[in-house]
Amino acid sequence: MKNLLSMEHLSTEEILHMLSRAAAFERGEAAALQRTYHVANLFFEPSTRTKTSFEMAERRVGCEVIPFDAGFSSALKGETMYDTVKTLEMIGIDAVVIRAKEDEYYNELLEGINCAVINAGDGAGQHPSQCLLDLYTIHKEFGHFEGLNITIVGDISHSRVAKSNATALTRLGANVRFLCPAEWAGNFEAAHSWDEVLEDSDVIMLLRIQHERHAVSKNFSKDSYHEEFGLTPERERRMKEGAIIMHPAPINRDVEIADELVECERSRIFAQVRNGVFARMAILETILKERN
Amino acid sequence: MKNLLSMEHLSTEEILHMLSRAAAFERGEAAALQRTYHVANLFFEPSTRTKTSFEMAERRVGCEVIPFDAGFSSALKGETMYDTVKTLEMIGIDAVVIRAKEDEYYNELLEGINCAVINAGDGAGQHPSQCLLDLYTIHKEFGHFEGLNITIVGDISHSRVAKSNATALTRLGANVRFLCPAEWAGNFEAAHSWDEVLEDSDVIMLLRIQHERHAVSKNFSKDSYHEEFGLTPERERRMKEGAIIMHPAPINRDVEIADELVECERSRIFAQVRNGVFARMAILETILKERN
Amino acid sequence: MKNLLSMEHLSTEEILHMLSRAAAFERGEAAALQRTYHVANLFFEPSTRTKTSFEMAERRVGCEVIPFDAGFSSALKGETMYDTVKTLEMIGIDAVVIRAKEDEYYNELLEGINCAVINAGDGAGQHPSQCLLDLYTIHKEFGHFEGLNITIVGDISHSRVAKSNATALTRLGANVRFLCPAEWAGNFEAAHSWDEVLEDSDVIMLLRIQHERHAVSKNFSKDSYHEEFGLTPERERRMKEGAIIMHPAPINRDVEIADELVECERSRIFAQVRNGVFARMAILETILKERN
């Protein structure tokens, strides 16, 4: 595996290998890398948890992290993504972790770049490291994917997470359904009421309402979103035994989910953050160990 | 000691213990920590010296520092302080050092957070690590606190430093007085002319005029502030033998203090910066050694 | 060598020593430093490659790098450069690498500062580490400087690179010429057409069109600049055998140079970036080994 760009490029074997390595890291195993690799994190959009999680994972597999301030870089002088990454490669960087606003920005990097590219989110496209940590969280819980009913709730059409996860979970045998207001379904078929999906879901995966990308308020306020599509205590009580709640965070408390449910027994929201470090260690190890 | 939030939470024993550890670090002793701890610095307000000082102290006690760009974080997406810190805890951070605009922001972090919290300044509230370095500077100079006349000069009502220091110094037996324009005294009793305090002060502690928080110019220009409340060469000559000058910096030269006095014999202004690293090493060691 | 401020301060021996150390580092030799030094990078202007290159070089010679966020520092509160650097010195920083907008900002740092100062670009002044990497690139190619025809093309009057390089290359025996639109020559004598310089140049050193500093568009558009002063494939074919193309980057593709030439056989543009790390390791080693 040279790069990690999109879940669609991964074979089922590669996915399962990384989940197994994540579990090994969680048990305390060390990464199997021969030398110190140099990594840079290029975040052209704000993100606490993804960037910090990669920073931690990079140190835990023994990388040296070279700081790169995307908000203060030559990209501001109009430099192409290719030239920025090629420059880092010549400086001695082995892998770049990139989050950028443009869908599939990485197409520019497929030829001529030797440095590994790890996609940490491209526009409204993919977010494969988030997907792998979600898969790891589900697999840890249930031990398998086959036949699980997984309901993704929120702005499906704009969500990187929804797309990455739907593709991968379906391939692994899960039954993925969507729940959202009609105008947010995009090309996906979706339920429009909790009653259709609530009681037989094994996993309820809430998406973040992205105030940055579009207004909640077109057709409803935050309150009315919560009332219609949010996970309320009353709905949580109707969930199946053993079913879990997930959310990629940051959370809008009392919008996607009631404040009091964020750390409830079913919630794996903060566990996902913890799992993210192990999943990212697995990605880094898998990619870096193929380099000399 | 689980957290360091406010000087008022510290016992006299805890204060004296940290001063003694700071002295040990200045003599070259190594920190007594069993493992590598992970720390993140969350500075939601600009600060060169406090942040850089913590960064150095963290490395000197053997911590691994995970970068956190507060100006570019999920806080911008409306995430609560609790969720940001809980996320860092789940990523594997042992201690967060926080500067934030809100007074007592840390009240939100008292329950549910396991990660240690070190307050590096809360709004117009406290600034305990600055206070400890000031105490260390005074103790190094005089060997004790009892009976010292300490005069704090400047914008008392808005100053974190004034409040932290007044509380702690009084408790340790010093005699703390204030000097400031009438409208900056807040609830404190203050002198309004140098003549009342200049000649018997052992320590003159100048505060920074905070252009960010209020205009100097309401009632006086920079020049007239300097004339009335600044430390001029003429006033320095009237100071007691052995008395010292302190300032938390950054300095407005020729406002709080005449340019030519900044590095004069009585000045401990740059020594305070040096002492700050030792004081912060003491804080970090004291807090981290209680974690497993 | 205590500081590196301007090429004019360096003796020919010092320059040749650093080129020879850069070559040693490229062959894999380790830096001859006795202890871990602490370094901070103060970039008050954006720059991907210079900052990242220093960050890498610092780690490769074994330094500990203390992060300093110039866009978020006390300089915003009006602190002088002297006070900022003195503060870092007291915190325990051994060397600061500075890029700033003001020409010769470093004059403020010549007295009273003990910490080493490495100039990474001052306004429209000098950029000595870029110059040393250019010298290293040329020396690696030709084995000497004497008699080489070196043509610098672009905005001579505003370019740090042009000034640093012209001074040093002339001193080392090269024959430096300029090519630029008449209004960009400043006090330099310059050719105004490729025909005067193209066919006998050993090195064509293209400068970046600095949209930040002045508009290309005063007298010509990007396209007409490219047509008159850009390196086109047709011009590249007329270059001398063995002649090379250089550019300090970031590149404006199809302005200074045709897109298809950026990685052509004659181009040393990305090799310069690679060489920059070795040149900066040589600078750091030369300066730091003189400190105790």
Side-chain angles (χ1 to χ4, degrees):
Chain A
M1 196 165 102
K2 198 206 152 192
N3 299 317
L4 176 63
L5 305 177
S6 161
M7 289 308 288
E8 284 141 42
H9 301 167
L10 293 179
S11 68
T12 303
E13 287 65 39
E14 284 172 322
I15 294 175
L16 296 176
H17 168 75
M18 287 191 278
L19 299 187
S20 134
R21 292 304 294 152
F25 293 135
E26 183 158 9
R27 288 191 309 268
E29 211 171 285
L33 295 177
Q34 309 280 12
R35 65 167 176 93
T36 300
Y37 291 90
H38 289 86
V39 179
N41 300 305
L42 284 61
F43 277 66
F44 297 98
E45 289 194 315
S47 167
T48 307
R49 83 207 57 239
T50 305
K51 181 159 184 294
T52 317
S53 179
F54 268 113
E55 291 267 1
M56 183 63 95
E58 289 154 4
R59 281 159 178 86
R60 291 232 178 125
V61 300
C63 290
E64 184 88 53
V65 185
I66 300 295
F68 179 92
D69 186 345
F72 203 56
S73 76
S74 291
L76 300 178
K77 302 186 189 169
E79 191 177 52
T80 62
M81 184 72 90
Y82 178 90
D83 287 345
T84 298
V85 174
K86 190 77 192 172
T87 295
L88 293 170
E89 177 182 320
M90 298 316 288
I91 279 167
I93 295 291
D94 296 289
V96 288
V97 176
I98 305 181
R99 167 167 296 188
K101 255 191 281 291
E102 298 76 25
D103 284 17
E104 302 188 24
Y105 66 81
Y106 48 75
N107 287 334
E108 223 188 298
L109 306 175
L110 298 180
E111 258 177 85
I113 298 289
N114 184 36
C115 170
V117 178
I118 297 173
N119 180 14
D122 61 301
Q126 289 258 340
H127 191 358
S129 69
Q130 176 73 41
C131 181
L132 280 163
L133 82 86
D134 289 339
L135 295 181
Y136 180 57
T137 303
I138 295 169
H139 197 266
K140 225 170 98 176
E141 194 68 36
F142 298 98
H144 65 96
F145 296 102
E146 297 77 17
L148 293 177
N149 288 330
I150 298 179
T151 305
I152 303 180
V153 186
D155 180 4
I156 313 299
S157 64
H158 289 86
S159 170
R160 289 190 277 244
V161 175
K163 281 166 202 167
S164 295
N165 281 359
T167 308
L169 283 164
T170 303
R171 177 139 56 103
L172 292 163
N175 176 26
V176 179
R177 294 98 52 98
F178 301 105
L179 167 65
C180 66
E183 66 269 48
W184 288 358
N187 302 318
F188 295 87
E189 199 175 315
H192 301 309
S193 137
W194 275 108
D195 293 332
E196 304 172 50
V197 292
L198 182 61
E199 293 176 4
D200 70 342
S201 289
D202 297 289
V203 178
I204 289 181
M205 198 179 269
L206 306 166
L207 301 176
R208 197 175 175 269
I209 297 303
Q210 309 215 23
H211 306 300
E212 303 91 53
R213 295 188 196 278
H214 64 82
V216 182
S217 48
K218 266 190 214 155
N219 297 297
F220 18 62
S221 65
K222 285 182 186 190
D223 284 354
S224 69
Y225 181 86
H226 187 60
E227 206 174 303
E228 252 189 276
F229 296 99
L231 193 59
T232 59
E234 183 268 330
R235 286 178 184 133
E236 186 271 338
R237 280 191 294 273
R238 289 170 55 203
M239 284 174 69
K240 191 173 164 181
E241 200 190 319
I244 61 170
I245 301 166
M246 296 173 67
H247 188 302
I251 311 160
N252 296 301
R253 286 170 178 260
D254 288 328
V255 182
E256 300 102 38
I257 183 167
D259 180 72
E260 65 194 273
L261 294 179
V262 171
E263 298 186 60
C264 74
E265 215 191 307
R266 292 187 191 279
S267 168
R268 296 296 174 273
I269 298 178
F270 287 119
Q272 284 172 273
V273 178
R274 189 162 177 276
N275 293 336
V277 177
F278 304 121
R280 289 179 176 112
M281 290 172 75
I283 294 168
L284 288 159
E285 185 201 52
T286 304
I287 286 178
L288 292 172
K289 78 176 184 210
E290 291 196 13
R291 300 176 68 86
N292 59 29
Chain B
M1 198 165 102
K2 199 209 150 189
N3 298 318
L4 176 63
L5 305 176
S6 161
M7 288 309 289
E8 284 140 44
H9 301 168
L10 293 179
S11 69
T12 304
E13 289 64 40
E14 284 172 321
I15 293 175
L16 296 175
H17 168 77
M18 287 191 278
L19 299 186
S20 135
R21 292 305 294 153
F25 293 135
E26 182 158 10
R27 289 191 308 267
E29 211 172 285
L33 294 177
Q34 308 280 14
R35 64 166 177 95
T36 300
Y37 291 90
H38 290 87
V39 180
N41 299 304
L42 283 60
F43 277 66
F44 296 98
E45 289 193 314
S47 167
T48 308
R49 83 206 59 240
T50 306
K51 181 160 186 291
T52 317
S53 180
F54 267 113
E55 291 267 1
M56 182 65 93
E58 289 154 4
R59 281 161 177 83
R60 291 232 178 125
V61 299
C63 291
E64 184 88 51
V65 185
I66 300 294
F68 179 92
D69 186 345
F72 204 55
S73 77
S74 291
L76 299 179
K77 302 186 189 168
E79 192 178 51
T80 62
M81 183 73 89
Y82 177 91
D83 287 345
T84 298
V85 173
K86 190 76 190 171
T87 295
L88 293 170
E89 178 183 319
M90 298 316 289
I91 280 167
I93 296 291
D94 295 289
V96 288
V97 176
I98 305 183
R99 167 166 296 188
K101 255 191 283 289
E102 297 76 24
D103 284 18
E104 302 187 25
Y105 66 81
Y106 48 75
N107 287 335
E108 222 188 300
L109 306 176
L110 297 180
E111 257 178 86
I113 298 289
N114 183 36
C115 168
V117 179
I118 297 173
N119 180 13
D122 62 301
Q126 290 258 339
H127 191 0
S129 69
Q130 176 72 41
C131 181
L132 280 163
L133 81 86
D134 289 340
L135 296 180
Y136 179 57
T137 302
I138 295 169
H139 197 264
K140 224 169 99 175
E141 195 69 36
F142 299 98
H144 66 95
F145 296 101
E146 296 77 16
L148 293 178
N149 288 329
I150 298 180
T151 305
I152 303 180
V153 186
D155 179 4
I156 313 297
S157 64
H158 288 87
S159 171
R160 289 190 276 244
V161 175
K163 280 166 204 169
S164 297
N165 281 0
T167 308
L169 284 164
T170 304
R171 176 138 58 104
L172 292 162
N175 176 27
V176 179
R177 294 98 53 99
F178 300 106
L179 167 65
C180 66
E183 67 268 48
W184 289 358
N187 301 320
F188 296 87
E189 199 175 316
H192 301 308
S193 136
W194 275 108
D195 292 332
E196 304 173 50
V197 292
L198 182 60
E199 292 176 4
D200 70 343
S201 289
D202 297 289
V203 177
I204 289 181
M205 199 179 268
L206 305 166
L207 300 176
R208 194 172 178 271
I209 297 304
Q210 309 214 24
H211 307 300
E212 303 91 51
R213 294 187 198 278
H214 62 80
V216 182
S217 48
K218 267 191 214 154
N219 297 298
F220 17 63
S221 65
K222 286 183 186 188
D223 284 354
S224 69
Y225 181 85
H226 187 61
E227 208 174 301
E228 253 189 274
F229 296 99
L231 194 59
T232 59
E234 183 268 329
R235 287 178 184 132
E236 186 271 337
R237 280 189 296 272
R238 290 170 54 204
M239 284 175 70
K240 192 173 164 180
E241 200 190 320
I244 62 170
I245 302 165
M246 295 173 67
H247 189 301
I251 313 159
N252 296 302
R253 286 171 178 261
D254 288 329
V255 181
E256 300 103 37
I257 183 168
D259 179 73
E260 64 195 273
L261 293 179
V262 172
E263 298 186 60
C264 75
E265 215 191 308
R266 291 187 191 281
S267 168
R268 296 295 174 272
I269 297 178
F270 286 118
Q272 284 172 273
V273 178
R274 190 163 175 275
N275 294 336
V277 177
F278 304 121
R280 290 179 176 112
M281 289 171 74
I283 294 168
L284 287 160
E285 185 201 51
T286 304
I287 285 178
L288 292 173
K289 79 176 182 209
E290 291 196 16
R291 299 176 68 86
N292 58 26
Chain C
M1 198 165 100
K2 199 208 150 191
N3 298 318
L4 175 63
L5 305 175
S6 160
M7 289 308 289
E8 283 140 43
H9 301 167
L10 293 179
S11 68
T12 303
E13 287 64 40
E14 285 172 321
I15 294 175
L16 296 176
H17 168 76
M18 286 191 279
L19 299 187
S20 135
R21 292 305 294 153
F25 293 135
E26 182 158 8
R27 288 190 310 266
E29 212 172 283
L33 294 177
Q34 309 280 14
R35 66 168 176 94
T36 299
Y37 291 89
H38 290 87
V39 179
N41 300 304
L42 283 61
F43 278 66
F44 296 98
E45 290 192 315
S47 167
T48 307
R49 83 206 58 240
T50 305
K51 180 159 185 294
T52 317
S53 179
F54 267 113
E55 291 267 1
M56 182 64 93
E58 288 154 6
R59 280 162 177 85
R60 291 232 178 125
V61 299
C63 290
E64 184 89 51
V65 185
I66 300 294
F68 179 92
D69 187 346
F72 205 54
S73 77
S74 291
L76 299 178
K77 302 186 189 167
E79 191 178 51
T80 62
M81 183 73 89
Y82 177 91
D83 286 345
T84 298
V85 173
K86 190 76 191 171
T87 295
L88 292 171
E89 178 183 319
M90 298 318 286
I91 279 167
I93 296 290
D94 295 289
V96 287
V97 176
I98 305 182
R99 166 167 297 187
K101 255 191 282 290
E102 299 76 25
D103 285 16
E104 302 187 24
Y105 66 81
Y106 48 75
N107 287 336
E108 222 187 298
L109 306 176
L110 298 180
E111 258 178 86
I113 298 288
N114 183 35
C115 167
V117 178
I118 297 172
N119 179 13
D122 61 300
Q126 289 258 339
H127 192 358
S129 70
Q130 176 73 40
C131 180
L132 280 162
L133 81 86
D134 288 341
L135 295 180
Y136 179 57
T137 303
I138 295 169
H139 197 263
K140 224 169 101 175
E141 193 70 35
F142 298 99
H144 65 96
F145 296 101
E146 298 78 16
L148 293 178
N149 288 329
I150 298 181
T151 305
I152 303 180
V153 186
D155 179 4
I156 312 299
S157 63
H158 289 86
S159 171
R160 291 190 275 244
V161 175
K163 280 166 204 170
S164 294
N165 281 357
T167 309
L169 283 163
T170 304
R171 175 139 59 102
L172 292 162
N175 176 28
V176 179
R177 295 99 51 100
F178 300 106
L179 167 65
C180 67
E183 66 269 46
W184 288 359
N187 302 319
F188 296 88
E189 199 176 315
H192 301 308
S193 136
W194 276 108
D195 292 332
E196 303 174 51
V197 293
L198 182 61
E199 291 176 5
D200 71 341
S201 289
D202 296 290
V203 178
I204 289 181
M205 198 178 269
L206 305 166
L207 300 176
R208 196 172 177 272
I209 297 303
Q210 309 213 24
H211 306 301
E212 302 92 50
R213 294 188 196 278
H214 63 81
V216 182
S217 48
K218 267 190 211 152
N219 296 296
F220 19 61
S221 65
K222 284 183 186 189
D223 283 354
S224 69
Y225 181 86
H226 187 62
E227 207 174 301
E228 254 190 277
F229 296 99
L231 193 59
T232 58
E234 182 267 329
R235 286 178 185 132
E236 186 271 339
R237 280 190 294 273
R238 289 170 57 203
M239 284 174 70
K240 192 173 163 180
E241 200 189 319
I244 61 169
I245 302 165
M246 295 173 68
H247 188 301
I251 312 159
N252 295 301
R253 288 172 176 259
D254 288 328
V255 182
E256 300 103 37
I257 182 168
D259 179 74
E260 65 195 272
L261 294 179
V262 171
E263 297 187 60
C264 75
E265 214 190 308
R266 291 187 190 281
S267 167
R268 295 296 175 272
I269 297 176
F270 287 118
Q272 284 172 272
V273 178
R274 190 164 175 275
N275 293 336
V277 177
F278 304 121
R280 290 179 176 113
M281 290 172 75
I283 294 168
L284 288 160
E285 185 201 51
T286 304
I287 285 177
L288 292 173
K289 78 175 183 211
E290 291 196 14
R291 300 176 68 85
N292 57 29

